[in-house]
Coordinates of all heavy atoms in Angstrom, one line a residue:
T1 N 48.6 -60.2 43.9 CA 47.9 -61.5 44.4 C 48.9 -62.6 44.5 O 49.9 -62.7 43.8 CB 46.8 -61.9 43.3 OG1 47.5 -62.2 42.1 CG2 45.8 -60.8 43.1
G2 N 48.7 -63.4 45.5 CA 49.6 -64.5 45.8 C 49.3 -65.7 44.8 O 48.2 -65.9 44.4
Q3 N 50.4 -66.3 44.5 CA 50.3 -67.5 43.6 C 50.1 -68.8 44.4 O 50.6 -68.9 45.5 CB 51.5 -67.6 42.7 CG 51.7 -66.4 41.8 CD 50.5 -66.3 40.8 OE1 50.1 -67.3 40.2 NE2 50.0 -65.1 40.7
K4 N 49.3 -69.7 43.9 CA 49.1 -71.0 44.6 C 49.7 -72.1 43.9 O 49.8 -72.0 42.6 CB 47.6 -71.2 44.8 CG 46.9 -70.1 45.6 CD 45.5 -70.3 45.7 CE 44.8 -69.1 46.5 NZ 43.4 -69.3 46.6
A5 N 49.9 -73.2 44.6 CA 50.5 -74.4 43.9 C 49.7 -74.9 42.8 O 50.2 -75.4 41.8 CB 50.8 -75.5 44.9
E6 N 48.3 -74.8 42.9 CA 47.5 -75.3 41.8 C 47.6 -74.4 40.5 O 47.2 -74.9 39.5 CB 46.0 -75.4 42.2 CG 45.4 -74.1 42.7 CD 45.4 -73.9 44.2 OE1 46.1 -74.5 44.9 OE2 44.6 -73.0 44.6
N7 N 48.3 -73.3 40.6 CA 48.5 -72.5 39.4 C 49.8 -72.9 38.7 O 50.2 -72.3 37.7 CB 48.6 -71.0 39.8 CG 47.2 -70.5 40.3 OD1 46.2 -71.0 39.9 ND2 47.3 -69.5 41.1
V8 N 50.5 -73.8 39.3 CA 51.8 -74.2 38.8 C 51.6 -75.4 37.8 O 51.0 -76.4 38.3 CB 52.8 -74.6 39.9 CG1 54.1 -75.1 39.3 CG2 53.1 -73.4 40.8
R9 N 52.0 -75.3 36.6 CA 51.8 -76.4 35.6 C 52.8 -77.5 35.8 O 52.5 -78.6 35.7 CB 51.8 -75.8 34.2 CG 51.5 -76.8 33.2 CD 51.3 -76.2 31.8 NE 51.1 -77.2 30.8 CZ 51.2 -77.0 29.5 NH1 51.5 -75.8 29.1 NH2 51.0 -78.0 28.7
Y10 N 54.1 -77.1 36.0 CA 55.2 -78.1 36.1 C 56.2 -77.6 37.1 O 56.4 -76.4 37.3 CB 56.0 -78.2 34.8 CG 55.3 -78.7 33.6 CD1 55.1 -77.8 32.5 CD2 54.9 -80.0 33.5 CE1 54.5 -78.3 31.3 CE2 54.2 -80.5 32.4 CZ 54.0 -79.6 31.3 OH 53.4 -80.1 30.2
I11 N 56.9 -78.6 37.7 CA 58.1 -78.4 38.3 C 59.1 -78.9 37.3 O 59.0 -80.0 36.8 CB 58.3 -79.2 39.7 CG1 57.3 -78.6 40.7 CG2 59.7 -79.1 40.2 CD1 57.3 -79.4 42.0
A12 N 60.1 -78.1 36.9 CA 61.0 -78.4 35.8 C 62.4 -78.3 36.3 O 62.8 -77.5 37.1 CB 60.7 -77.6 34.6
S13 N 63.3 -79.2 35.7 CA 64.7 -79.1 35.9 C 65.4 -79.8 34.7 O 64.7 -80.2 33.8 CB 65.0 -79.9 37.2 OG 66.4 -79.6 37.6
A14 N 66.7 -79.8 34.8 CA 67.5 -80.4 33.7 C 67.5 -81.9 33.9 O 67.4 -82.5 35.0 CB 68.9 -79.9 33.8
D15 N 67.6 -82.6 32.8 CA 67.6 -84.1 32.8 C 68.7 -84.7 33.6 O 68.5 -85.8 34.1 CB 67.6 -84.6 31.3 CG 68.8 -84.2 30.5 OD1 69.7 -83.5 31.1 OD2 68.9 -84.6 29.4
I16 N 69.7 -84.0 33.9 CA 70.8 -84.5 34.7 C 70.4 -84.6 36.1 O 71.1 -85.2 36.9 CB 72.1 -83.6 34.6 CG1 71.8 -82.2 35.0 CG2 72.7 -83.7 33.2 CD1 73.1 -81.4 35.2
K17 N 69.2 -84.0 36.5 CA 68.7 -84.1 37.9 C 67.5 -85.1 38.0 O 66.8 -85.1 39.0 CB 68.3 -82.7 38.3 CG 69.5 -81.8 38.4 CD 69.1 -80.4 39.0 CE 70.3 -79.6 39.2 NZ 70.8 -79.7 40.6
K18 N 67.4 -85.9 37.0 CA 66.2 -86.8 37.0 C 66.1 -87.8 38.1 O 65.0 -88.3 38.5 CB 66.1 -87.6 35.7 CG 67.2 -88.6 35.5 CD 67.1 -89.3 34.1 CE 68.2 -90.2 34.1 NZ 68.4 -90.9 32.8
D19 N 67.2 -88.1 38.8 CA 67.2 -89.0 39.9 C 67.3 -88.3 41.3 O 67.4 -88.9 42.3 CB 68.4 -90.0 39.8 CG 68.3 -90.9 38.6 OD1 67.1 -91.3 38.3 OD2 69.3 -91.2 38.0
E20 N 67.2 -87.0 41.3 CA 67.3 -86.2 42.5 C 66.0 -86.4 43.3 O 64.9 -86.0 43.0 CB 67.5 -84.7 42.2 CG 68.0 -83.9 43.3 CD 68.5 -82.5 42.9 OE1 69.5 -82.5 42.2 OE2 67.8 -81.6 43.3
K21 N 66.2 -87.0 44.5 CA 65.1 -87.4 45.3 C 64.3 -86.2 45.8 O 63.0 -86.3 45.9 CB 65.6 -88.2 46.5 CG 66.1 -89.6 46.1 CD 66.7 -90.4 47.3 CE 67.3 -91.7 46.7 NZ 67.9 -92.4 47.8
G22 N 64.9 -85.1 46.1 CA 64.2 -83.9 46.6 C 63.2 -83.4 45.6 O 62.1 -83.0 45.9
L23 N 63.6 -83.4 44.3 CA 62.6 -82.9 43.2 C 61.5 -83.9 43.1 O 60.3 -83.5 43.0 CB 63.4 -82.9 41.9 CG 64.2 -81.7 41.6 CD1 65.0 -81.9 40.3 CD2 63.4 -80.5 41.4
I24 N 61.8 -85.2 43.1 CA 60.7 -86.2 43.0 C 59.7 -86.1 44.2 O 58.5 -86.1 44.0 CB 61.3 -87.6 42.9 CG1 62.2 -87.7 41.6 CG2 60.3 -88.7 42.9 CD1 63.1 -88.8 41.5
K25 N 60.3 -85.9 45.4 CA 59.4 -85.8 46.6 C 58.6 -84.6 46.5 O 57.4 -84.6 46.8 CB 60.3 -85.9 47.8 CG 59.5 -85.9 49.1 CD 60.4 -86.0 50.3 CE 59.6 -86.0 51.6 NZ 60.4 -86.2 52.8
A26 N 59.2 -83.4 46.2 CA 58.4 -82.2 46.1 C 57.3 -82.3 45.1 O 56.2 -81.8 45.4 CB 59.4 -81.0 45.8
A27 N 57.5 -82.8 43.9 CA 56.5 -82.9 42.9 C 55.4 -83.8 43.4 O 54.2 -83.5 43.2 CB 57.1 -83.5 41.6
G28 N 55.7 -84.9 44.1 CA 54.7 -85.8 44.7 C 53.9 -85.1 45.8 O 52.6 -85.2 45.8
L29 N 54.5 -84.4 46.7 CA 53.8 -83.8 47.8 C 52.9 -82.7 47.3 O 51.8 -82.5 47.8 CB 54.8 -83.2 48.8 CG 55.6 -84.2 49.7 CD1 56.7 -83.5 50.5 CD2 54.6 -84.9 50.6
L30 N 53.4 -81.9 46.3 CA 52.6 -80.8 45.7 C 51.6 -81.3 44.7 O 50.8 -80.5 44.2 CB 53.5 -79.8 45.2 CG 54.4 -79.1 46.2 CD1 55.5 -78.2 45.5 CD2 53.6 -78.2 47.1
N31 N 51.7 -82.5 44.2 CA 50.9 -83.1 43.2 C 51.0 -82.2 41.9 O 50.0 -81.9 41.3 CB 49.4 -83.2 43.6 CG 48.6 -84.1 42.7 OD1 49.2 -85.1 42.1 ND2 47.4 -83.9 42.6
I32 N 52.3 -81.9 41.5 CA 52.5 -81.2 40.3 C 53.5 -82.0 39.5 O 54.4 -82.6 39.9 CB 53.3 -79.8 40.7 CG1 52.3 -79.0 41.6 CG2 53.7 -79.1 39.4 CD1 53.0 -77.7 42.1
P33 N 53.1 -82.1 38.2 CA 54.0 -82.9 37.3 C 55.4 -82.4 37.2 O 55.7 -81.2 37.3 CB 53.3 -82.8 35.9 CG 51.9 -82.3 36.2 CD 52.0 -81.6 37.5
L34 N 56.3 -83.4 37.2 CA 57.8 -83.1 37.1 C 58.2 -83.2 35.7 O 58.0 -84.3 35.1 CB 58.5 -84.0 38.1 CG 60.0 -83.8 38.2 CD1 60.4 -82.4 38.6 CD2 60.5 -84.8 39.3
R35 N 58.8 -82.2 35.1 CA 59.3 -82.3 33.7 C 60.7 -82.0 33.6 O 61.2 -81.0 34.2 CB 58.5 -81.2 32.9 CG 58.9 -81.2 31.4 CD 58.0 -80.5 30.6 NE 58.5 -80.6 29.2 CZ 58.3 -79.7 28.3 NH1 57.5 -78.6 28.5 NH2 58.8 -79.9 27.1
F36 N 61.4 -82.9 32.9 CA 62.9 -82.7 32.8 C 63.2 -82.2 31.4 O 62.7 -82.8 30.4 CB 63.6 -84.0 33.1 CG 63.5 -84.4 34.5 CD1 62.7 -85.3 35.0 CD2 64.3 -83.7 35.5 CE1 62.5 -85.7 36.3 CE2 64.2 -84.0 36.8 CZ 63.3 -85.0 37.2
I37 N 64.0 -81.1 31.3 CA 64.4 -80.5 30.0 C 65.8 -81.1 29.7 O 66.7 -81.2 30.5 CB 64.5 -79.0 30.2 CG1 63.2 -78.4 30.8 CG2 64.9 -78.4 28.9 CD1 61.9 -78.7 30.0
S38 N 65.9 -81.5 28.4 CA 67.2 -82.1 28.0 C 68.4 -81.1 28.1 O 68.2 -79.9 27.9 CB 67.1 -82.6 26.6 OG 67.2 -81.6 25.6
S39 N 69.5 -81.6 28.5 CA 70.7 -80.8 28.6 C 71.0 -80.1 27.3 O 71.4 -79.0 27.3 CB 71.9 -81.7 29.1 OG 71.7 -82.1 30.4
S40 N 70.8 -80.8 26.2 CA 71.1 -80.2 24.9 C 70.2 -79.1 24.6 O 70.6 -78.1 24.0 CB 71.1 -81.3 23.8 OG 69.8 -81.8 23.6
E41 N 68.9 -79.2 25.0 CA 68.0 -78.1 24.7 C 68.4 -76.9 25.6 O 68.3 -75.7 25.1 CB 66.6 -78.6 25.1 CG 65.5 -77.6 24.7 CD 64.1 -78.1 24.9 OE1 63.9 -79.3 25.4 OE2 63.2 -77.3 24.7
I42 N 68.8 -77.1 26.8 CA 69.3 -76.0 27.6 C 70.5 -75.3 27.0 O 70.6 -74.1 26.9 CB 69.6 -76.5 29.1 CG1 68.2 -76.8 29.8 CG2 70.3 -75.4 29.9 CD1 68.4 -77.4 31.1
R43 N 71.5 -76.2 26.6 CA 72.7 -75.6 26.0 C 72.4 -74.8 24.7 O 73.1 -73.8 24.4 CB 73.7 -76.7 25.6 CG 74.5 -77.2 26.8 CD 75.6 -78.2 26.4 NE 75.9 -79.1 27.5 CZ 75.4 -80.3 27.7 NH1 74.6 -80.8 26.8 NH2 75.8 -81.0 28.7
N44 N 71.4 -75.2 24.0 CA 71.1 -74.6 22.7 C 70.1 -73.4 22.8 O 69.8 -72.8 21.8 CB 70.6 -75.6 21.7 CG 71.7 -76.6 21.3 OD1 72.9 -76.2 21.2 ND2 71.3 -77.8 21.1
A45 N 69.6 -73.2 24.0 CA 68.5 -72.2 24.2 C 69.0 -70.8 24.0 O 70.1 -70.5 24.4 CB 67.9 -72.4 25.6
K46 N 68.2 -70.0 23.4 CA 68.5 -68.6 23.1 C 67.7 -67.8 24.1 O 67.8 -66.5 24.0 CB 68.2 -68.2 21.7 CG 68.9 -69.1 20.7 CD 70.4 -68.9 20.7 CE 71.1 -69.6 19.6 NZ 72.0 -70.6 20.0
A47 N 67.0 -68.4 25.0 CA 66.1 -67.7 25.9 C 67.0 -66.8 26.8 O 68.1 -67.1 27.1 CB 65.3 -68.6 26.7
G48 N 66.4 -65.8 27.4 CA 67.1 -64.8 28.2 C 67.2 -65.2 29.6 O 66.5 -64.9 30.5
F49 N 68.2 -66.1 29.9 CA 68.5 -66.4 31.3 C 70.0 -66.2 31.6 O 70.8 -66.0 30.7 CB 68.2 -67.9 31.5 CG 69.0 -68.9 30.6 CD1 70.2 -69.3 30.9 CD2 68.4 -69.4 29.5 CE1 70.9 -70.2 30.1 CE2 69.0 -70.3 28.6 CZ 70.3 -70.7 29.0
K50 N 70.3 -66.0 32.9 CA 71.6 -65.7 33.3 C 72.4 -67.0 33.4 O 72.0 -68.0 34.0 CB 71.6 -65.0 34.7 CG 71.0 -63.7 34.6 CD 71.0 -63.1 36.0 CE 69.6 -62.9 36.5 NZ 69.5 -62.5 37.9
S51 N 73.6 -67.0 32.9 CA 74.5 -68.2 33.0 C 75.3 -68.0 34.3 O 75.4 -66.9 34.9 CB 75.4 -68.3 31.8 OG 76.2 -67.2 31.7
S52 N 75.7 -69.1 34.8 CA 76.5 -69.2 36.1 C 77.7 -70.0 36.0 O 77.6 -71.2 35.6 CB 75.5 -69.8 37.2 OG 76.3 -70.2 38.3
A53 N 78.9 -69.4 36.3 CA 80.1 -70.2 36.2 C 80.1 -71.4 37.2 O 80.6 -72.5 36.9 CB 81.3 -69.3 36.5
F54 N 79.5 -71.2 38.3 CA 79.4 -72.2 39.4 C 78.6 -73.4 38.8 O 79.0 -74.6 38.9 CB 78.7 -71.7 40.6 CG 78.5 -72.7 41.7 CD1 79.5 -73.2 42.5 CD2 77.2 -73.3 41.9 CE1 79.3 -74.2 43.4 CE2 77.0 -74.2 42.8 CZ 78.0 -74.7 43.6
V55 N 77.4 -73.1 38.2 CA 76.5 -74.2 37.7 C 77.2 -74.8 36.5 O 77.2 -76.1 36.4 CB 75.2 -73.6 37.2 CG1 74.3 -74.6 36.5 CG2 74.4 -73.1 38.5
M56 N 77.9 -74.1 35.7 CA 78.7 -74.7 34.5 C 79.7 -75.7 35.1 O 79.8 -76.8 34.5 CB 79.3 -73.6 33.7 CG 80.1 -74.1 32.5 SD 79.1 -75.1 31.3 CE 78.7 -73.8 30.2
K57 N 80.4 -75.3 36.1 CA 81.4 -76.2 36.7 C 80.8 -77.5 37.2 O 81.3 -78.5 37.1 CB 82.2 -75.4 37.7 CG 83.4 -76.2 38.3 CD 84.2 -75.4 39.3 CE 85.3 -76.2 39.9 NZ 86.1 -75.5 40.8
K58 N 79.7 -77.3 37.9 CA 79.0 -78.4 38.6 C 78.3 -79.4 37.6 O 78.2 -80.6 37.8 CB 78.1 -78.0 39.7 CG 78.7 -77.3 40.9 CD 79.5 -78.3 41.7 CE 79.1 -78.3 43.1 NZ 79.7 -79.2 43.9
T59 N 77.6 -78.8 36.6 CA 76.7 -79.5 35.8 C 77.1 -79.6 34.3 O 76.5 -80.4 33.6 CB 75.3 -78.9 35.8 OG1 75.3 -77.6 35.2 CG2 74.8 -78.8 37.3
G60 N 78.0 -78.7 33.9 CA 78.3 -78.7 32.4 C 77.2 -77.9 31.7 O 77.3 -77.9 30.4
L61 N 76.3 -77.3 32.4 CA 75.3 -76.5 31.7 C 75.4 -75.0 32.1 O 75.9 -74.7 33.2 CB 73.9 -76.9 32.2 CG 73.5 -78.4 31.8 CD1 72.2 -78.8 32.5 CD2 73.4 -78.5 30.3
P62 N 75.0 -74.1 31.3 CA 75.2 -72.7 31.6 C 74.3 -72.2 32.8 O 74.6 -71.2 33.5 CB 74.8 -71.9 30.3 CG 73.9 -72.9 29.6 CD 74.4 -74.3 30.0
A63 N 73.2 -72.9 33.0 CA 72.3 -72.6 34.1 C 71.3 -73.8 34.1 O 71.2 -74.6 33.2 CB 71.5 -71.3 33.8
V64 N 70.5 -73.9 35.2 CA 69.5 -74.9 35.3 C 68.1 -74.3 35.6 O 67.1 -74.5 34.8 CB 69.8 -76.0 36.3 CG1 68.7 -77.0 36.5 CG2 71.1 -76.8 35.9
A65 N 68.0 -73.6 36.7 CA 66.6 -73.2 37.1 C 65.9 -72.3 36.1 O 64.8 -72.6 35.8 CB 66.8 -72.4 38.5
E66 N 66.6 -71.2 35.6 CA 65.9 -70.3 34.7 C 65.6 -71.0 33.4 O 64.5 -70.9 32.9 CB 66.7 -69.0 34.5 CG 66.7 -68.2 35.8 CD 67.5 -66.9 35.6 OE1 68.1 -66.6 34.6 OE2 67.6 -66.2 36.6
P67 N 66.6 -71.6 32.7 CA 66.2 -72.2 31.4 C 65.2 -73.3 31.6 O 64.3 -73.5 30.7 CB 67.5 -72.8 30.9 CG 68.5 -72.8 32.0 CD 68.0 -71.8 33.0
A68 N 65.2 -74.1 32.7 CA 64.2 -75.1 32.9 C 62.8 -74.5 33.0 O 61.8 -75.0 32.4 CB 64.5 -76.0 34.1
A69 N 62.7 -73.4 33.7 CA 61.4 -72.7 33.9 C 60.9 -72.2 32.5 O 59.8 -72.3 32.2 CB 61.6 -71.6 34.9
L70 N 61.9 -71.6 31.8 CA 61.5 -71.0 30.5 C 61.1 -72.0 29.4 O 60.2 -71.8 28.6 CB 62.6 -70.1 30.0 CG 62.8 -68.8 30.8 CD1 64.1 -68.1 30.4 CD2 61.6 -67.8 30.5
L71 N 61.9 -73.1 29.4 CA 61.7 -74.1 28.4 C 60.6 -75.1 28.7 O 60.1 -75.9 27.8 CB 63.0 -74.9 28.1 CG 64.1 -74.0 27.6 CD1 65.5 -74.7 27.6 CD2 63.8 -73.6 26.1
A72 N 60.1 -75.2 29.9 CA 59.0 -76.1 30.3 C 57.7 -75.8 29.7 O 56.8 -76.7 29.5 CB 58.9 -76.2 31.8
G73 N 57.5 -74.5 29.4 CA 56.1 -74.1 28.9 C 56.2 -73.5 27.5 O 57.2 -73.6 26.8
R74 N 55.1 -72.9 27.1 CA 55.0 -72.3 25.8 C 54.9 -70.8 26.0 O 54.2 -70.3 26.8 CB 53.7 -72.8 25.1 CG 53.7 -74.2 24.8 CD 52.4 -74.6 24.1 NE 52.2 -76.0 24.3 CZ 51.3 -76.5 25.2 NH1 50.5 -75.7 25.9 NH2 51.1 -77.8 25.3
R75 N 55.6 -70.0 25.1 CA 55.6 -68.6 25.1 C 55.8 -68.1 26.6 O 55.0 -67.3 27.1 CB 54.3 -68.0 24.5 CG 54.1 -68.5 23.1 CD 52.9 -67.9 22.4 NE 51.7 -67.9 23.3 CZ 50.8 -68.9 23.5 NH1 51.0 -70.0 22.8 NH2 49.8 -68.7 24.2
T76 N 56.9 -68.4 27.2 CA 57.1 -68.1 28.6 C 57.9 -66.8 28.8 O 58.7 -66.4 27.9 CB 57.9 -69.3 29.2 OG1 59.1 -69.5 28.5 CG2 57.1 -70.5 29.3
K77 N 57.7 -66.3 29.9 CA 58.4 -65.1 30.4 C 58.9 -65.3 31.8 O 58.1 -65.8 32.7 CB 57.5 -63.9 30.3 CG 58.2 -62.6 30.8 CD 57.2 -61.5 30.8 CE 57.8 -60.2 31.3 NZ 56.9 -59.1 31.3
L78 N 60.1 -65.0 32.2 CA 60.6 -65.2 33.5 C 59.9 -64.2 34.5 O 60.0 -63.0 34.2 CB 62.1 -65.0 33.5 CG 62.9 -65.7 34.6 CD1 62.7 -67.2 34.6 CD2 64.4 -65.4 34.4
L79 N 59.3 -64.7 35.5 CA 58.6 -63.9 36.5 C 59.5 -63.7 37.7 O 59.6 -62.6 38.3 CB 57.3 -64.5 37.0 CG 56.2 -64.5 36.0 CD1 54.9 -65.1 36.7 CD2 55.8 -63.1 35.5
L80 N 60.2 -64.7 38.1 CA 61.2 -64.7 39.2 C 62.5 -65.3 38.7 O 62.6 -66.4 38.3 CB 60.6 -65.6 40.4 CG 61.5 -65.7 41.6 CD1 61.6 -64.4 42.3 CD2 61.0 -66.8 42.5
S81 N 63.5 -64.4 38.7 CA 64.8 -64.9 38.3 C 65.4 -65.8 39.4 O 64.8 -65.9 40.5 CB 65.8 -63.8 38.0 OG 65.9 -63.0 39.2
R82 N 66.4 -66.5 39.1 CA 67.0 -67.5 39.9 C 67.2 -67.0 41.4 O 67.8 -65.9 41.6 CB 68.4 -67.9 39.3 CG 69.2 -68.8 40.1 CD 70.5 -69.1 39.5 NE 71.4 -67.9 39.5 CZ 72.1 -67.5 38.5 NH1 72.1 -68.2 37.3 NH2 72.8 -66.4 38.5
Q83 N 66.6 -67.7 42.3 CA 66.7 -67.4 43.7 C 67.0 -68.7 44.5 O 66.6 -69.7 44.1 CB 65.3 -66.9 44.3 CG 64.7 -65.8 43.5 CD 65.4 -64.4 43.9 OE1 65.6 -64.2 45.0 NE2 65.7 -63.7 42.9
I84 N 67.8 -68.5 45.6 CA 68.1 -69.6 46.4 C 67.2 -69.5 47.7 O 67.4 -68.5 48.4 CB 69.6 -69.7 46.8 CG1 70.4 -69.9 45.5 CG2 69.8 -70.9 47.7 CD1 71.9 -69.8 45.7
I85 N 66.3 -70.4 47.9 CA 65.4 -70.4 49.0 C 65.6 -71.7 49.8 O 65.4 -72.8 49.4 CB 64.0 -70.3 48.5 CG1 63.8 -69.1 47.7 CG2 63.0 -70.3 49.7 CD1 62.5 -69.0 46.9
E86 N 66.2 -71.5 51.0 CA 66.5 -72.6 51.9 C 67.3 -73.7 51.2 O 67.0 -74.9 51.3 CB 65.2 -73.2 52.5 CG 64.5 -72.2 53.4 CD 63.3 -72.7 54.1 OE1 63.2 -74.0 54.4 OE2 62.4 -72.0 54.4
G87 N 68.3 -73.2 50.5 CA 69.2 -74.2 49.8 C 68.7 -74.7 48.5 O 69.4 -75.5 47.9
V88 N 67.6 -74.3 48.0 CA 67.0 -74.8 46.8 C 67.0 -73.6 45.8 O 66.4 -72.6 46.1 CB 65.6 -75.4 47.0 CG1 65.0 -75.8 45.7 CG2 65.6 -76.5 48.0
T89 N 67.5 -73.8 44.6 CA 67.5 -72.8 43.6 C 66.2 -72.9 42.8 O 65.9 -74.0 42.3 CB 68.7 -72.9 42.7 OG1 69.9 -72.9 43.5 CG2 68.8 -71.8 41.7
V90 N 65.5 -71.8 42.7 CA 64.2 -71.8 41.9 C 64.2 -70.6 41.0 O 64.8 -69.6 41.2 CB 63.0 -71.8 42.9 CG1 63.0 -73.0 43.8 CG2 63.0 -70.5 43.7
A91 N 63.3 -70.8 40.0 CA 63.0 -69.7 39.1 C 61.6 -69.9 38.6 O 61.1 -71.1 38.6 CB 63.9 -69.6 37.9
V92 N 60.8 -68.9 38.3 CA 59.4 -69.0 37.9 C 59.2 -68.3 36.6 O 59.6 -67.2 36.4 CB 58.5 -68.5 39.0 CG1 57.0 -68.6 38.6 CG2 58.7 -69.1 40.4
A93 N 58.5 -69.1 35.7 CA 58.2 -68.5 34.4 C 56.7 -68.6 34.2 O 56.0 -69.5 34.8 CB 58.9 -69.2 33.3
K94 N 56.1 -67.7 33.5 CA 54.7 -67.7 33.2 C 54.5 -68.0 31.7 O 55.2 -67.5 30.9 CB 54.1 -66.3 33.5 CG 52.6 -66.3 33.2 CD 52.0 -64.9 33.6 CE 50.5 -64.9 33.3 NZ 50.0 -63.6 33.7
E95 N 53.5 -68.9 31.4 CA 53.2 -69.2 30.1 C 52.3 -68.2 29.4 O 51.6 -67.4 30.1 CB 52.5 -70.6 30.0 CG 53.3 -71.8 30.1 CD 52.6 -73.0 29.8 OE1 51.6 -73.3 30.4 OE2 53.1 -73.7 28.9
G96 N 52.3 -68.2 28.1 CA 51.4 -67.3 27.3 C 51.8 -65.8 27.5 O 50.9 -65.0 27.4
S97 N 53.0 -65.6 27.7 CA 53.4 -64.2 28.0 C 54.0 -63.4 26.8 O 54.2 -62.2 26.9 CB 54.4 -64.2 29.2 OG 53.8 -64.7 30.3
L98 N 54.3 -64.1 25.8 CA 55.0 -63.4 24.7 C 54.0 -63.1 23.6 O 53.0 -63.6 23.4 CB 56.1 -64.3 24.1 CG 57.2 -64.7 25.1 CD1 58.2 -65.6 24.4 CD2 57.9 -63.4 25.5

């Protein structure tokens, strides 16, 4: 079954991206709350996400999309690992999965 925007609880990213206009605009257009996960929470996360040398070099974080998706909800499981879609990196996690 296809997923719909109304099934999305949050658009999430790292706090270092809190001023990123594209994120803010997307959340507004989709009418989905935008949640920022603290960089320290991402660094300390033990969740199963892939780290990226490129992201580490650019942001100082081991990853952004996957940990933000996993840490934004409760008892989450990664449904879609990090993907680049039209220049935007996304990951999808489902709540209540553990």
Side-chain angles (χ1 to χ4, degrees):
T1 64
Q3 296 299 313
K4 299 179 182 178
E6 61 261 19
N7 294 332
V8 177
R9 184 169 178 198
Y10 296 114
I11 293 175
S13 192
D15 59 1
I16 60 170
K17 295 183 173 264
K18 68 180 179 185
D19 296 323
E20 197 166 294
K21 292 178 184 175
L23 278 172
I24 296 165
K25 184 175 181 179
L29 289 172
L30 295 170
N31 196 29
I32 298 172
L34 182 55
R35 181 166 181 206
F36 292 103
I37 308 302
S38 75
S39 293
S40 63
E41 191 174 356
I42 290 172
R43 279 189 206 97
N44 294 323
K46 304 293 186 241
F49 59 85
K50 294 180 244 171
S51 60
S52 164
F54 174 79
V55 173
M56 180 61 93
K57 184 176 179 181
K58 291 290 231 179
T59 67
L61 297 172
V64 173
E66 289 180 3
L70 289 165
L71 294 168
R74 295 182 205 102
R75 299 181 322 274
T76 54
K77 177 182 178 183
L78 206 56
L79 291 182
L80 176 71
S81 61
R82 177 181 68 224
Q83 304 284 314
I84 299 173
I85 302 169
E86 295 185 28
V88 177
T89 305
V90 300
V92 178
K94 180 177 180 180
E95 281 192 301
S97 296
L98 299 178

